[in-house]
Amino acid sequence: MSLQAHLNELQAKHKALEAELAEAMNHPASTDAEIAELKRKKLRIKDEITRLQQPHAA
């Protein structure tokens, strides 16, 4: 998989988690632990995207 394809996949996952997080935050049955886990997953993906986009990351 090329770097750009990997970045595109990560960005799609990040966007999906963002939507899932928004839905969970608006759903009264969601627990704080579930919301925190979604936030952690989203942050890990964002960190990986940032790391891969840095010029010296290759």
Side-chain angles (χ1 to χ4, degrees):
M1 178 183 298
S2 74
L3 177 60
Q4 189 57 49
H6 187 56
L7 279 170
N8 290 343
E9 184 178 316
L10 288 172
Q11 289 168 339
K13 285 181 182 180
H14 186 266
K15 187 173 184 170
L17 277 171
E18 194 170 309
E20 189 177 346
L21 179 60
E23 183 178 327
M25 291 177 79
N26 289 322
H27 196 278
S30 297
T31 66
D32 289 343
E34 291 170 333
I35 291 171
E37 179 61 26
L38 288 171
K39 287 181 178 182
R40 279 191 293 273
K41 286 180 182 179
K42 188 177 163 205
L43 182 58
R44 278 194 298 267
I45 291 173
K46 182 65 175 171
D47 287 346
E48 186 172 354
I49 290 169
T50 301
R51 183 181 60 79
L52 292 172
Q53 288 178 332
Q54 292 174 350
H56 55 64

